[in-house]
Amino acid sequence: MNAPQALDALNCPLAGVNLIEASAGTGKTWTIAALFVRLLLEERDGVSPPAIEQILVVTYTKAATAELRERLRRRLAEMLALLDGKADGDDFLQALAARFPEGQARDVARQRLTAAVNGFDAAAIYTIHGFCQRVLTDAAFESGQTFQAELVEDDAARLAEIVDDFWRRRIVAAPLLAQVLVERGETPDAWLAEIRPYLSKPYLKLRAPDAVRLETARWVASERWKLLASAPELVEEGLALFLAHPGFKANIYRPDTMARIAGNLRGWLALPDALPELDSDSRKLLDKLRPEALAKGMKKGCEPPAHPLFERMEAWLAGWDVYMGQVANSLAGLKLELIAWANEELARRRGVERSRSFDDLLTDLGAALAHPETGPLLAAQVADSFSVALIDEFQDTDPTQYRIFRRCFVEEARPVFLVGDPKQAIYSFRGADIFAYLAARHDAERQYTLDTNRRSDEPLVATVNALFGRDLPFLLDGIAYQPVAASPSSGGRLEVDDDRAPFNAQWIQAGEKELSKEAAEQAAAEGCADEIARLLTLAAEGR
């Protein structure tokens, strides 16, 4: 893979598919604003620049959208003030203004900027969900969507009802499974929290555990039980020996405990064809009939009772334990069933209620674009509405989102600028998908990087460069680390007189036992607070 070239925001082509890799502090928002101003002012291939509402800007949170909107508005105002001779502007704006000399070219540029500033409220700056909602609303016929779908911002209550319904149908109706779940502390709420990240993701491939192992384990346990139950005389003979044996320790084999063991076993033998469903208490009691347990329960100098019953009990309980292990493993398959059930129920209820969640916005638009007949019409309409797309925080994109952008812009030959930090694309807990990012990189005609950190001091940046400057620093081929230079824009420098290096790792002492997540978070917060207090104390001492 060739290393990306440093981006020259003033001179890079405003065409094709462009991937801009931007590490923290390298001026990502400044770059987006620079491209935004150029797109509004410069002609491309003899075509007039688009109006402000034709430049799509997408980011991933409402807060980021509000900040980006303000930064873009301010940048346009700065450029307009420069063209009007009311301000000097920075080097970038001065160089861009030089392309529009006094006369007609500058007058046209002023008119375009004035229209953009005055009409800025119409700027197409959205979250990904806001963009999907607009497309689905504006193109209801092409997308096959209802005109009056209510957007439900929080579908937690609806999801809880769906999971509860599944729990009643599949868990409560299966006593053995319910018993396993109770003993493991499983609850519907816990299952919902576990499956929530996997809902409304049609690109996921769900692979259930091997059901053959579960059936095989059950067959083995059943056959061993039948072997035991087929010889009631042998069982009674063994139980008589067990109950009458005088050598047991009274604190381990109490008479009432021994009577319960015999009573339970005789009760199950009354139904010899049904595999007993042991709860944890029954399982512990029967364990006392195993030869090893009998030997440990003897008084000093006494021999344990020996009988074929105890050998068969050992074999059956071993088979039962394997079966219970496979039942526990099958929970993964049950959770996959729950994911499929929840997706189907969400779609059904959404249709009945005429509602739509944020996840639905993505999946509905993705499905509409994929439709063989109406999908091309919808993609063409989006491309007609937006002449160019600037996608911020692109590292947080998942496959559904990238297919939407790819279908509407890449395949419709619209210029696209994808701006993001590939190093952050490895964080799936944020919804990112590293392979969606790699697919976009494959589509990109040009790859750039922002190669100067304007936030951090040189020793810190150099240390980070050294830390990650190795082969496969993120364990995936295709995600490399691009070293950056340092040029803090503030000119400020933190000097601390404590003989420490600019880069330090703080270690949390766990002690003999592993820390829980909550305890580790608390320790990390305290460590951070301690460091802040230490620096403030040094500041008070003039250090």
Side-chain angles (χ1 to χ4, degrees), residues 39 90 99 136 144 157 219 284 334 359 424 465 508 511:
L39 287 164
D90 57 25
R99 296 178 179 175
L136 291 170
W219 181 84
K284 290 177 182 178
L334 202 59
D359 285 342
Q424 297 183 46
N465 285 340
I508 297 174

Side-chain angles (χ1 to χ4, degrees), residues 466-494:
L467 182 65
F468 291 102
R470 65 182 74 183
D471 291 336
L472 295 179
F474 304 104
L475 305 182
L476 281 171
D477 189 20
I479 301 297
Y481 177 79
Q482 301 298 332
V484 295
S487 180
S489 57
S490 67
R493 178 185 173 90
L494 175 64

